[in-house]
Amino acid sequence: QVQLVESGGGLVQDGGSLRLSCAASGLIFSNFNMGWFRQAPGREREFVARISWSGSTTEYADSVKGRFTISRANAKNTVYLQMNSLKPEDAAVYYCSAIRWTMTTTRWENYDYWGQGTQVTVSS
């Protein structure tokens, strides 16, 4: 009964901003590190950002560093991805994922739970 539900995707212009949200249920949210991944058509799923169970540690892919910010609100069981200065190459389906707090990884294969994804389209 674990569920991760992404929202906030849509169409934005090159250079625009978007904030994604991921609402979690069916798990003790603070026991999990959280991550965002993305997948474009014909491409492998790639790591975007991760955040530790407490929010004290964050990690970003080089391609988004300085433009994206991951955060979490444990009281709301929600993780966010603020995306600024969006580029056409950022267009993808973005997935929220959860992994036990003892695990530190950017490999999607190791994550335990996944949302359904939300589409981000960036016009050029």
Side-chain angles (χ1 to χ4, degrees):
Q1 60 256 355
V2 173
Q3 276 197 324
L4 303 176
V5 181
E6 301 97 333
S7 61
L11 174 64
V12 297
Q13 293 184 343
D14 190 356
S17 296
L18 205 60
R19 189 177 77 156
L20 306 183
S21 298
C22 172
S25 61
L27 77 169
I28 302 174
F29 189 65
S30 60
N31 285 352
F32 289 84
N33 298 332
M34 302 296 296
W36 286 97
F37 295 78
R38 67 188 183 187
Q39 188 167 25
R43 293 192 174 198
E44 298 292 326
R45 187 169 300 187
E46 66 175 349
F47 167 76
V48 176
R50 62 173 291 272
I51 188 167
S52 63
W53 66 271
S54 66
S56 62
T57 301
T58 58
E59 184 179 357
Y60 299 91
D62 288 341
S63 59
V64 307
K65 197 171 298 181
R67 299 187 297 119
F68 290 12
T69 302
I70 188 171
S71 62
R72 67 190 296 163
N74 285 355
K76 299 179 180 179
N77 284 10
T78 302
V79 61
Y80 305 95
L81 185 68
Q82 178 67 48
M83 304 184 294
N84 298 326
S85 301
L86 281 161
K87 306 173 181 179
E89 53 262 43
D90 294 317
V93 177
Y94 282 71
Y95 296 93
C96 174
S97 190
I99 190 169
R100 298 289 299 184
W101 72 272
T102 54
M103 305 296 291
T104 302
T105 181
T106 61
R107 295 182 175 182
W108 67 267
E109 297 93 336
N110 294 330
Y111 279 69
D112 298 311
Y113 303 108
W114 292 87
Q116 82 290 341
T118 185
Q119 177 72 54
V120 172
T121 304
V122 184
S123 63
S124 59

